[in-house]
Amino acid sequence: MKMTRRGFMLKSMAGAGLLVGSGALFSACMGHGVRRDDFRNGARAFEPVPALDEDTAAILYYASLAPSGHNSQPWYIKMIDRNEFLVGADPARRLTAVDPDNREALLSIGAFLENLSIAAGCLGYEAEIKVIANSQKDEEVARVTLRKAKATDYPISRLVSRKTVKRGHLTTVIKAADIDFLSGELKGHLFYFPRDTRHANCIKEGAIEAYRSWVERDAAQKENTAWSRLSNADARKYRDGLTTEGMEIKGIAGFYVRNFVSPEDFMKPGMLKQSLQFAVDRAGEGGGWIIITGYGDGVAGLIETGRRFERMALTARERLIGLHPMTQLLEEEPGQKLIASNHVSRMNAQFVLRVGYVESYPQPVSLRRPVSWFLRT
């Protein structure tokens, strides 16, 4: 007899008590989703690229560990010669429903360029980066030239271990010393609002309303569906997007989603209600909120903001601080109105982050495309 999804879920939940009693058996039965480390080639974290020398391939791999909305990885590389290339915004990877002006894509490319600069330094190169785009819709964003230089001692492990942390934020207020540590070069552009303060509560409620608007907007949900890689087969095929591991859907729930849920199911009322409840629950966690403002206008300002954000994000693990962008506050009309009505016009908010201490830092699992997939020769 063919079992329906509902029937499977009921039987699975009924048997959950038996599985929980044996952690090893539970893990063996449920398995896990595809993770970044599943693609390691022995000690090598990245796959060789025949068209590139090993150093350039490594630099571009580390650059690609930058965060991006929906894990869309909106960049491409076009080689000019051996040590010079263009970094572009791939139009096929635009999030037109939630990021029509390419603001978030350029912030992500800024983070990509920061990782690139750091990785180049670690491998004995200096990366000269020149922003060449005149508008946010231009495809070619920056020109990069690599020159041999003395290697830096920056811990490249920071690039590998950076992770967006969605769950498990403690409600402890972040210490002033830790906020100062995170601020680094963001001083004057990073604003922390401790939980339960008036401003933090305003941001929390605004984030929930903005998320509700996102859930109710059909175009946004279709785009979210298009970037969902729920099955392990799709995760391996595309190596981008929203996977169960990346969304932190684990255990029996993760097994069920990977095997019995399609991306289109996420647009059904029941799933949308669960998604909204997830956002409500997460907004109630953590030690407060951080707003990061921009560095000037236009493409260059967005690139610089993305670079400085990444410098901060790379250090968060050292203080056991989880960062979770809740970008709907800047994407959806209710959130935009909230920001405009509560801040002076010169406060150009570019990131809204839920922030909180975590008891232990999870390992990064979100997938990355091989360098050869985003290389244009």
Side-chain angles (χ1 to χ4, degrees):
M1 182 178 69
K2 184 177 180 181
M3 184 178 292
T4 64
R5 291 176 182 167
R6 177 176 174 80
F8 173 83
M9 178 58 93
L10 291 173
K11 287 182 177 291
S12 298
M13 295 306 292
L18 296 175
L19 288 171
V20 169
S22 172
L25 177 60
F26 181 81
S27 297
C29 291
M30 297 298 103
H32 60 73
V34 179
R35 299 169 179 168
R36 186 185 304 169
D37 279 352
D38 292 343
F39 296 98
R40 290 186 68 92
N41 182 10
R44 183 194 291 270
F46 62 94
E47 296 155 66
V49 184
L52 301 176
D53 64 74
E54 187 167 349
D55 282 351
T56 303
I59 290 167
L60 293 177
Y61 167 74
Y62 287 118
S64 76
L65 299 181
S68 58
H70 289 1
N71 192 25
S72 59
Q73 303 171 41
W75 42 76
Y76 72 80
I77 298 295
K78 182 179 180 180
M79 299 303 298
I80 298 174
D81 62 29
R82 183 172 178 273
N83 291 313
E84 189 172 12
F85 49 86
L86 297 175
V87 179
D90 189 339
R93 294 181 166 270
R94 287 189 59 197
L95 303 177
T96 55
V98 298
D99 187 29
D101 297 324
N102 267 11
R103 182 188 68 85
E104 291 182 29
L106 289 169
L107 291 170
S108 295
I109 290 173
F112 177 98
L113 289 168
E114 182 61 23
N115 281 3
L116 186 154
S117 178
I118 291 170
C122 292
L123 293 175
Y125 295 86
E126 178 185 7
E128 178 185 305
I129 298 171
K130 181 180 180 181
V131 176
I132 60 175
N134 293 313
S135 82
Q136 291 178 204
K137 299 292 181 65
D138 285 355
E139 191 173 319
E140 294 181 349
V141 176
R143 181 187 294 265
V144 178
T145 304
L146 299 177
R147 296 187 176 90
K148 290 295 289 184
K150 182 180 179 180
T152 67
D153 59 0
Y154 187 95
I156 202 166
S157 59
R158 285 180 175 175
L159 277 65
V160 178
S161 62
R162 184 208 59 79
K163 186 184 189 311
T164 299
V165 182
K166 300 181 178 71
R167 296 178 184 266
H169 289 209
L170 304 177
T171 56
T172 309
V173 170
I174 309 299
K175 299 174 184 176
D178 287 336
I179 292 297
D180 191 59
F181 174 79
L182 286 180
S183 294
E185 295 184 51
L186 284 165
K187 282 184 172 61
H189 290 265
L190 185 150
F191 302 88
Y192 169 60
F193 304 98
R195 72 172 287 115
D196 295 330
T197 60
R198 184 190 67 82
H199 208 127
N201 287 336
C202 180
I203 296 172
K204 180 181 74 172
E205 294 306 317
I208 292 171
E209 286 307 306
Y211 198 92
R212 190 189 312 277
S213 174
W214 176 78
V215 163
E216 294 173 351
R217 196 155 60 88
D218 191 59
Q221 292 311 305
K222 286 181 178 178
E223 189 168 76
N224 188 63
T225 296
W227 285 96
S228 295
R229 317 294 190 220
L230 302 185
S231 71
N232 281 350
D234 276 354
R236 291 190 183 96
K237 178 180 179 180
Y238 295 104
R239 291 172 66 169
D240 61 8
L242 305 169
T243 65
T244 57
E245 290 291 324
M247 292 186 286
E248 300 180 5
I249 306 174
K250 300 182 181 298
I252 196 168
F255 177 83
Y256 176 75
V257 169
R258 286 191 297 275
N259 291 280
F260 296 94
V261 175
S262 71
E264 291 72 23
D265 288 334
F266 273 18
M267 293 188 66
K268 294 179 178 178
M271 285 286 196
L272 293 175
K273 184 177 180 180
Q274 289 182 35
S275 178
L276 178 59
Q277 187 59 52
F278 176 86
V280 171
D281 293 343
R282 299 293 80 76
E285 293 180 350
W289 298 80
I290 284 175
I291 289 181
I292 295 174
T293 59
Y295 285 79
D297 298 322
V299 176
L302 289 169
I303 294 296
E304 183 64 20
T305 305
R307 292 190 65 172
R308 296 198 185 213
F309 163 79
E310 184 71 348
R311 289 174 210 168
M312 182 268 295
L314 292 172
T315 65
R317 177 184 286 267
E318 295 172 25
R319 298 297 175 102
L320 287 178
I321 295 174
L323 302 173
H324 179 202
M326 297 194 75
T327 56
Q328 289 82 10
L329 194 60
L330 300 175
E331 296 167 353
E332 300 297 321
E333 187 176 351
Q336 294 167 352
K337 287 182 177 178
L338 178 73
I339 294 289
S341 62
N342 283 276
H343 299 286
V344 292
S345 59
R346 68 177 180 274
M347 188 172 186
N348 179 23
Q350 296 294 355
F351 287 95
V352 176
L353 308 167
R354 191 170 56 86
V355 58
Y357 291 114
V358 293
E359 292 182 347
S360 61
Y361 225 91
Q363 291 302 307
V365 294
S366 60
L367 304 182
R368 290 298 184 273
R369 295 174 294 156
V371 171
S372 60
W373 290 15
F374 60 84
L375 178 65
R376 301 180 182 180
T377 54

